[in-house]
Structures are given as C-alpha cells and as structure tokens.
Amino acid sequence: MKHLFASIGIALLASAAGAETLSISCGAVGAEFELCKEGVDQWALKTGNKVNLVSTPNSSTERLSLYQQLLTSKSQDLDVLQIDVVWPGMLASHLLDLTPYVKNTEQFFPGMLQNLKVGNQLTALPWFTDAGMLYYRKDLLEKYGQSTPVTWEELTASARLIQDKERKSGHDQMWGYVWQGRAYEGLTCDALEWVYSYNGGTLIDSAGKVDVTNAGVIKALDMAKSWVKTISPEGVLNYAEEEARGVFQSGNAVFMRSWPYAWNLAQAENSPIKGKVGIAALPMGGTDGQHASTLGGWQLAVSKYTRNPALAADLVQYLTSYEEQKRRVIKSAGGYNPTIPALYQDDDVIETVPQVIDLYYVFANSVPRPSTVTGDRYGQVSNAFFNSVHSVLSGSADSAAATRDLQRKLTRIMKDK
Ligand code: GLC
C-alpha cells in the first residue's frame, strides 16, 4: 500500500513536470537486460519520466539490420540505442551528435571516445567494454595433469585428450572446445583472434590495404576447420555466445571462448560448474605467435529522429556515468566492464571484483576490428569475412580458395574508400 501511494505520488509529480516517454533498446545476453532495466528505472524515478525497454536480437548482426530498418525509415520508436563498438561509421548519419549535450567526456578511455567520433560528430558514449577470453574447466585439467594451454596447438591436444578420456568414462556428451561459429559478427571476432594470433594481421590495415591471403590467415583457418567434428560439435557452426555457454555451463565442454559476461553466470549458485572454472588469455598461434583478444563492447547513442534529444542524451549520460557503471560492474561481478579508467582504481571495485583489474590489461591490449578504416563499409567487410570463414569451417571451400576469393571481394568493397 505504501508503495502504491509512493508511485502515485511520483506519477503526479512527474506529470506536473511534463513527463515524457522514451524508448531504449537494451541487449539481453546474460544479465544485460536486467541490469539495463534497473539503471533505466532509477533514471525514470529520479527524473519523473517513463522509459520503455525494447529488447533486441542477441546476434549483433541481426540487431544491426533491425536498427538499419528502423533508422532508414526515420522511425521515432527508438530514442536511445545500444550500439556495437564497430558500428559508429555505419550509423553516424542517423545518430545525434552528442557533443553539445554531454559533459565529462574526458572521464572515458580516450581510445574508446576516439572510436565513437566520426569526423567531428560524437556518435555515442561508451557503456561497457569487452574482450575475448578463454574459459576452462580447472577440475578437468587437474584431473588429467594438463596445464592451461598457452598455444592453440596445446589447447587442441588437451581438449582432445580430456574429451576422449571423459567419454570413455561414460560422459559421452563431452566436447573439447566450444566457440562462436555461426555466420555472424561473433565469428568475425573469433576468427580475427585466430588470424592475429598467427601473426596474420587484422584483415585490413590502418591504411586500407586488404591482406587476407597471408600464411597466418591460412594457418588460422585450417586450424579452426580441424576442430569441427573432432573437438567441437558440428553444431558449433550455428553457435552464438549463448549456445556455446549453454554447452559449457551444463558441464559438456572442457574449453570455451567467450566474453567476460559468462564468468559470473558460470559461477552462479545454480551452475553445475560453479567453482570449477578458470579464465586465461586466448592461446597464441604457435610458439612464435601472440595472444590475441578481439575488442568488443557496447555504446549508447541517441537517434537523430527522437522527439526528445536533450532528455535522451540525459539518459545516456546517466547510464554511462561513473556511479552507474560502478553498480553494473559490481552487480555483474565483472561481467560488464567500465569504460572509465578511474573505475579500475576505485577501492570498492578493487575490493569486490579484483579480477576486473587483471581484465584491464586484457582490454588495453585487445585487437580492434577494422571498423575505423572501413567506416560505413564495415558491415559489408565483416559479412564477407564471416561468410568466407564459415564456408571453410563447414567444408564447402578450402582455405586457399576461400581467402583468394575474399581478397578480391574485400578489395572491391574498399575500392575508392
Ligand atoms: C559482444 C561484443 C561485441 C561483438 C559481439 C559479437 O557482444 O561486445 O562487440 O560484436 O559480441 O557477437
């Protein structure tokens, strides 16, 4: 009852101040939606406005096409959009320049902010950052005397050994390694890690030169192809993040590639693998390769077609603020990580989620996808890349032919850029 009166009171106050209704799209991978809703509700309470949450597809690729449809029709249905780190160049013409609306931009990592600038336009504010990492079953590695793999070759051998022994002892659903193999943005992230780890570069360099036929690329793709149906189920060719986590978290895989969000969920009370999981850097491509982790992350932008630009920008500022990012990283136990460097030195963060401090170094060294140099063509580049990688993984093309063809396609896409 008390609660009811309280909300009536708030509603009255709000209408007196001329309450508005905004819509925001939030991701729903892992605990994302719930965290978003809590933050949004706090802002609504504080300002007396109403916010509708729109859930969007989990796949970054599908989410992008939904946004593109909405934005090209100048839809006013979405005011605030959660956008991927690789989209600013593609969506800039539909996004509000936040420069006149926001303060405190110097609190963010300068590189992240720079990534969000298209010309002079500030397309969004950075909300959380991501980097690819390796999850492993520490109990199983220990049981079979295996150490944490440092190279992909070691990972492949350990995965095979543990998988085979577990199956022999009756665990017949056991797999060695699960990852993101569906033809979508997630595969671009995984495959860039393989390629970069074999010193094969970043597909397109910062000068716009395409190089996807070098020995590193071929080695990387051949290796990943060798996993399918040996240490990874055939179904991996249709896995996004949540499908891989489903297999790993139910105890049916030794290794998994994912993002930080999976940690807290794997360690949850009801998780069958609670207390049995370790995390490490993704392996190097051979002893002369390097560790590589793709830089991911999500930003908040305001649609140019909003009826309430100032209010929408205020919501974005609130959600990306120091306090709100602090709440999110603590509540998710390091699942959704800050874009403000000072938070990695915050006493409460250090005390409650000390592992986030180690992640800081992973984030600092992660490999960006070539979205700045490709700009509005990034979507075409990534699509061509993940389709080509998928054709190698599924056995419909060999790596030499597929990469030659990809080289031609990407060169054509980048022509006159
Ligand atoms: C994560 C990353 C994002 C990436 C996506 C791919 O959500 O944060 O940058 O594009 O995964 O699936």
Side-chain angles (χ1 to χ4, degrees):
M1 209 44 170
K2 214 166 145 201
H3 179 72
L4 181 65
F5 281 130
S7 25
I8 292 173
I10 286 159
L12 285 176
L13 261 178
S15 67
E20 299 285 346
T21 301
L22 293 182
S23 287
I24 180 173
S25 68
C26 298
V29 179
E32 250 185 309
F33 197 79
E34 185 193 329
L35 278 172
C36 178
K37 181 162 183 349
E38 289 163 356
V40 162
D41 285 351
Q42 282 175 20
W43 178 84
L45 198 67
K46 187 173 135 235
T47 62
N49 294 291
K50 200 171 165 271
V51 187
N52 294 327
L53 266 77
V54 179
S55 64
T56 49
N58 278 351
S59 151
S60 172
T61 304
E62 285 172 36
R63 205 182 290 178
L64 175 62
S65 39
L66 174 75
Y67 285 169
Q68 281 171 328
Q69 272 168 34
L70 287 169
L71 293 170
T72 39
S73 68
K74 301 193 166 47
S75 160
Q76 295 182 321
D77 291 347
L78 261 186
D79 302 287
V80 177
L81 295 91
Q82 179 177 331
I83 69 165
D84 202 341
V85 68
V86 282
W87 298 348
M90 281 187 285
L91 298 184
S93 61
H94 298 289
L95 301 176
L96 190 73
D97 178 8
L98 293 177
T99 318
Y101 297 95
V102 299
K103 302 188 291 282
N104 261 346
T105 49
E106 63 292 345
Q107 70 181 326
F108 298 107
F109 282 105
M112 290 183 195
L113 213 59
Q114 193 50 42
N115 176 59
L116 297 175
K117 292 226 169 108
V118 175
N120 286 329
Q121 179 186 358
L122 177 60
T123 57
L125 290 183
W127 199 21
F128 65 91
T129 187
D130 255 349
M133 47 205 252
L134 181 70
Y135 288 76
Y136 60 91
R137 285 285 301 278
K138 36 172 215 236
D139 58 326
L140 293 177
L141 260 60
E142 224 172 272
K143 180 170 168 194
Y144 296 106
Q146 301 292 300
S147 43
T148 314
V150 176
T151 61
W152 289 115
E153 291 70 18
E154 287 171 16
L155 177 139
T156 308
S158 277
R160 184 83 210 219
L161 181 135
I162 300 175
Q163 170 188 297
D164 290 353
K165 295 207 180 232
E166 281 290 292
R167 284 190 189 172
K168 271 204 194 101
S169 63
H171 189 164
D172 52 8
Q173 289 179 37
M174 193 58 154
W175 285 100
Y177 187 36
V178 290
W179 36 281
Q180 292 74 42
R182 179 186 297 177
Y184 81 123
E185 187 62 30
L187 180 56
T188 290
C189 297
D190 287 39
L192 177 64
E193 283 158 354
W194 310 329
V195 167
Y196 197 85
S197 79
Y198 277 101
N199 303 322
T202 56
L203 323 175
I204 301 184
D205 70 14
S206 54
K209 189 166 166 283
V210 177
D211 178 12
V212 290
T213 51
N214 66 63
V217 179
I218 306 281
K219 255 193 198 157
L221 297 190
D222 287 345
M223 168 193 70
K225 159 80 182 130
S226 80
W227 295 333
V228 181
K229 296 200 263 183
T230 57
I231 58 168
S232 306
E234 191 172 11
V236 82
L237 298 178
N238 203 25
Y239 283 4
E241 284 79 3
E242 287 294 78
E243 287 79 11
R245 184 171 71 87
V247 175
F248 185 71
Q249 199 165 315
S250 49
N252 292 329
V254 185
F255 297 104
M256 169 176 76
R257 185 267 178 213
S258 193
W259 307 97
Y261 87 94
W263 171 253
N264 192 29
L265 305 172
Q267 294 296 343
E269 259 335 295
N270 61 359
S271 163
I273 53 169
K274 180 176 163 51
K276 299 178 177 166
V277 187
I279 45 177
L282 287 162
M284 310 192 296
T287 42
D288 53 1
Q290 52 191 323
H291 293 287
S293 172
T294 296
L295 173 68
W298 291 83
Q299 342 293 319
L300 291 174
V302 174
S303 158
K304 216 163 98 181
Y305 314 111
T306 177
R307 293 189 188 90
N308 286 303
L311 206 58
D314 188 64
L315 174 58
V316 167
Q317 273 232 286
Y318 178 84
L319 292 174
T320 55
S321 67
Y322 188 99
E323 283 310 318
E324 174 59 6
Q325 289 203 32
K326 179 168 169 176
R327 183 190 74 81
R328 288 169 55 92
V329 65
I330 291 177
K331 178 109 194 255
S332 67
Y336 302 96
N337 291 291
T339 57
I340 298 176
L343 274 165
Y344 294 84
Q345 283 158 23
D346 182 288
D347 287 343
D348 300 327
V349 174
I350 295 174
E351 198 174 307
T352 48
V353 274
Q355 75 276 18
V356 167
I357 312 307
D358 298 334
L359 280 175
Y360 177 89
Y361 296 99
V362 180
F363 296 141
N365 294 306
S366 52
V367 185
R369 284 160 274 175
S371 57
T372 304
V373 66
T374 54
D376 59 353
R377 302 183 194 177
Y378 176 76
Q380 292 175 61
V381 166
S382 180
N383 269 58
F385 179 58
F386 65 62
N387 281 324
S388 167
V389 173
H390 198 268
S391 71
V392 173
L393 298 175
S394 67
S396 65
D398 73 49
S399 55
T403 52
R404 268 198 311 272
D405 184 44
L406 179 65
Q407 176 81 23
R408 273 193 300 271
K409 276 196 185 124
L410 296 184
T411 309
R412 208 178 314 128
I413 296 170
M414 289 301 285
K415 199 162 174 268
D416 306 324
K417 177 78 195 155

